[in-house]
């Protein structure tokens, strides 16, 4: 789709999704970004996303770094001087001086908006109001001091990975897990059965997961287990002299069916991926360790008619030259102008503080913009918290941090469709039933 002969002026802030949506709707050939000193990094990210999504667009970042003129944005007179020194000379240079100009005044301070609105005889004005799904358009009347409403402009959907890219320098995702790629139907069926079995308190599955969590989580740094393959006597695996129960072996058989080379056993011992597994066997270990619930949650959303393009899975986001900033987002969903983030926990290893689960999510804060956050717990960790009489305290801690605590398919769908209000309504309906 071609670009329009238009100079489109936007003000960069800490939250630039409205500006991105507006540019995608308007498709201007020229974009001028008004950038105060505090938001130069955000401007660079917005520029990068615009260049990806609008091939051929010319973006000019009007910042201290590019113009040599500082801009704080909070004082009317300073803004007025900046417009005279920087913005107007830029607009009057070719080829911009021959094109129509429009202002999007959604971002920035009130002082900035007050100056920009009357800085130039704009062809039209755009504004994206909070919680509105269309772009409000105003056209000047008479001498340009007053405005009249023009037809609103629909805003296009933005893929969640580009929403994340507005808030992180690097956004990537790993290739699909081999189990999901090669055994999609069998693994999904098994994931559904795991959820149901845990909901009904299957002791054999619970014991199996606890033994695997001990080896793969609690003993992760134990040199004995930092190998490609573990070959353990049953007594060491089960932490006792008993032989494996028939029910536990049935679950192992179902796991092995997903990757027959990854698991093996006989009457004396079991062989399974270690804590430095090769690529071949890493896939099954990852799936057992929690990917099964991520797969199940994703399909719950698809079954609820959430568009696949609205859902990003396992995004890795970080800042350049700062490995500590790396975060992996289990589910990031952006639809109908709302961004919602879901952390998924299928297990609860012994000794882990409940607060750790909450802090992992609350530490994200507003790093990915105006997002609602939720924590989806599998049945087993929820049961362990309830048995330890820590569920109520944990739930209150999540609530205080603005995190929705989810523990069912219906709650997950309600959160993605309607946010925290949807979860409260769903919880109320469940209580009535």
């Amino acid at each position: 789709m071609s670009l329009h002969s238009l100079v489109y002026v936007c003000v960069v802030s800490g939250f630039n999704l409205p500006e991105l949506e507006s540019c995608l709707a308007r498709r201007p050939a020229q974009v001028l970004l008004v950038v105060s000193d505090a938001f130069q990094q955000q401007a660079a990210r917005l520029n990068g996303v615009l260049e990806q999504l609008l091939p051929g667009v010319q973006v000019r970042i009007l910042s201290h770094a590019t113009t040599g003129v500082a801009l704080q944005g909070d004082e009317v007179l300073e803004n007025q001087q900046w417009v005279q020194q920087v913005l107007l000379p830029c607009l009057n240079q070719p080829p911009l001086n021959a094109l129509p100009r429009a202002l999007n005044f959604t971002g920035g301070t009130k002082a900035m908006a007050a100056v920009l609105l009357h800085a130039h005889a704009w062809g039209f004005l755009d504004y994206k109001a909070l919680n509105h799904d269309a772009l409000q358009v105003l056209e000047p009347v008479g001498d340009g001091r007053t405005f009249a409403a023009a037809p609103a402009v629909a805003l296009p959907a933005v893929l969640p990975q580009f929403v994340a890219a507005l808030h992180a320098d690097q956004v990537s995702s790993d290739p699909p897990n081999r189990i999901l790629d090669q055994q999609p139907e069998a693994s999904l069926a098994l994931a559904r059965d795991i959820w149901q079995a845990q909901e009904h308190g299957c002791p054999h599955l619970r014991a199996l997961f606890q033994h695997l969590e001990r080896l793969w989580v609690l003993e992760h740094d134990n040199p004995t287990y930092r190998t490609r393959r573990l070959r353990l006597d049953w007594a060491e695996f089960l932490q006792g002299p008993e032989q494996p129960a028939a029910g536990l072996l049935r679950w192992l058989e179902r796991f092995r069916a997903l990757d027959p080379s990854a698991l093996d056993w006989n009457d004396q011992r079991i062989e399974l991926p270690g804590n430095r597994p090769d690529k071949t066997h890493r896939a099954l270990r990852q799936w057992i360790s929690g990917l099964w619930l991520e797969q199940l949650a994703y399909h719950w959303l698809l079954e609820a008619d959430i568009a696949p393009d609205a859902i990003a899975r396992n995004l890795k986001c970080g800042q350049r030259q700062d490995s500590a900033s790396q975060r992996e987002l289990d589910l990031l969903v952006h639809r109908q102008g709302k961004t919602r983030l879901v952390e998924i926990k299928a297990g609860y290893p012994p000794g882990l503080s409940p607060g750790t689960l909450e802090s992992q999510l609350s530490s994200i804060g507003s790093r990915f913009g105006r997002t609602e956050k939720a924590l989806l717990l599998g049945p087993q960790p929820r049961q362990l918290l309830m048995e330890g009489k820590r569920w109520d305290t944990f739930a209150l801690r999540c609530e205080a941090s603005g995190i929705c605590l989810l523990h069912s398919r219906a709650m997950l769908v309600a959160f993605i469709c309607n946010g925290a209000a949807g979860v409260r309504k769903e919880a109320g309906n469940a209580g009535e039933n």
Side-chain angles (χ1 to χ4, degrees):
M1 189 181 299
S2 61
L3 301 178
H4 299 145
S5 297
L6 173 68
V7 180
Y8 199 56
V9 179
C10 297
V11 184
V12 174
S13 65
F15 177 67
N16 297 302
L17 178 60
E19 286 70 33
L20 173 60
E21 293 173 326
S22 301
C23 287
L24 295 180
R26 290 296 188 183
R27 301 188 63 81
Q30 303 283 342
V31 175
L32 297 187
L33 299 182
V34 177
V35 185
S36 59
D37 296 352
F39 298 119
Q40 296 188 74
Q41 187 178 44
Q42 288 83 350
R45 293 172 184 157
L46 176 58
N47 177 31
V49 176
L50 286 172
E51 289 180 345
Q52 287 186 71
L53 297 181
L54 293 177
V57 69
Q58 297 293 312
V59 180
R60 289 173 170 82
I61 299 178
L62 304 182
S63 68
H64 192 180
T66 61
T67 67
V69 180
L71 176 63
Q72 300 304 314
D74 295 316
E75 296 183 3
V76 172
L77 294 181
E78 181 213 26
N79 294 335
Q80 186 171 274
Q81 184 178 13
W82 182 90
V83 165
Q84 296 295 325
Q85 285 185 273
V86 177
L87 180 60
L88 293 182
C90 184
L91 289 173
N92 290 328
Q93 290 179 355
L96 305 188
N97 60 345
L99 300 175
R101 301 93 177 268
L103 171 68
N104 185 309
F105 64 101
T106 305
T109 62
K110 293 179 181 178
M112 179 73 72
V115 171
L116 288 175
L117 284 171
H118 300 287
H120 181 75
W122 305 107
F124 61 87
L125 304 173
D126 283 344
Y127 182 75
K128 168 65 166 60
L130 188 64
N131 297 323
H132 285 62
D133 57 3
L135 194 60
Q136 298 180 28
V137 184
L138 300 171
E139 293 180 345
V141 176
D143 61 1
R145 293 178 180 272
T146 58
F147 302 91
V153 173
L155 294 172
V158 177
L159 298 180
Q161 52 265 41
F162 291 114
V163 176
L166 292 174
H167 302 277
D169 296 328
Q170 299 172 327
V171 178
S172 62
S173 57
D174 290 333
N177 180 282
R178 188 168 54 85
I179 299 296
L180 304 183
D181 196 38
Q182 298 181 5
Q183 299 264 28
E185 295 182 4
S187 59
L188 178 59
L190 182 51
R192 295 187 197 277
D193 290 346
I194 291 172
W195 179 279
Q196 289 298 321
Q198 289 189 343
E199 282 273 76
H200 292 92
C202 174
H204 305 300
L205 183 59
R206 177 171 177 167
L208 177 56
F209 272 122
Q210 288 177 334
H211 294 313
L212 293 173
E213 284 173 345
R214 175 177 56 83
L215 295 172
W216 290 343
V217 180
L218 293 181
E219 299 287 350
H220 181 270
D221 296 324
N222 185 334
T224 303
Y225 301 133
R226 290 186 68 77
T227 60
R228 289 188 175 186
R229 301 284 288 166
L230 295 178
R231 295 174 179 84
L232 306 176
D233 293 339
W234 282 115
E236 183 176 0
F237 180 78
L238 300 173
Q239 296 286 280
E242 70 276 4
Q243 286 295 106
L248 185 147
L249 291 176
R250 283 194 292 271
W251 283 107
L252 278 175
E253 286 283 7
R254 297 196 65 185
F255 290 156
R256 181 165 64 177
L258 298 180
D259 185 356
S261 68
L263 290 173
D264 196 17
W265 61 87
N266 56 31
D267 291 341
Q268 286 77 43
R269 68 181 188 181
I270 181 172
E271 185 174 330
L272 67 159
N275 288 331
R276 281 186 175 173
D278 56 28
K279 186 180 296 185
T280 303
H281 297 147
R282 188 181 300 126
L284 183 62
R285 176 185 152 146
Q286 290 175 334
W287 190 88
I288 294 173
S289 296
L291 193 58
W292 69 268
L293 184 51
E294 295 178 24
Q295 179 187 13
L296 182 59
Y298 173 69
H299 279 274
W300 281 344
L301 297 182
L302 296 184
E303 291 163 358
D305 294 326
I306 307 299
D309 285 350
I311 309 169
R313 304 164 66 186
N314 303 118
L315 285 182
K316 292 185 176 179
C317 306
Q319 317 309 329
R320 291 187 180 91
Q321 302 176 338
D322 184 5
S323 59
S325 70
Q326 188 86 5
R327 294 299 301 261
E328 182 167 342
L329 310 180
D330 294 336
L331 284 179
L332 186 68
V333 182
H334 182 74
R335 61 188 297 270
Q336 298 177 352
K338 302 291 186 181
T339 307
R340 297 185 172 104
L341 189 156
V342 183
E343 183 84 2
I344 299 173
K345 293 297 181 183
Y348 183 65
L352 181 68
S353 165
T356 303
L357 296 177
E358 174 271 327
S359 62
Q360 287 176 351
L361 191 53
S362 61
S363 65
I364 294 176
S366 58
R367 186 181 301 184
F368 294 96
R370 293 169 182 160
T371 60
E372 289 189 85
K373 295 178 282 293
L375 175 62
L376 173 64
L377 283 185
Q380 185 157 312
R382 180 172 182 248
Q383 290 164 5
L384 289 170
L385 285 169
M386 295 182 75
E387 290 170 6
K389 301 188 184 302
R390 293 182 288 183
W391 174 260
D392 290 341
T393 300
F394 178 63
L396 288 173
R397 177 167 179 162
C398 288
E399 183 178 359
S401 298
I403 297 170
C404 286
L405 190 54
L406 315 175
H407 50 83
S408 71
R409 177 188 185 279
M411 293 178 78
L412 173 65
V413 172
F415 174 73
I416 295 301
C417 292
N418 297 300
V423 175
R424 288 192 293 270
K425 182 177 180 180
E426 174 59 33
N429 292 339
E432 293 174 3
N433 295 332

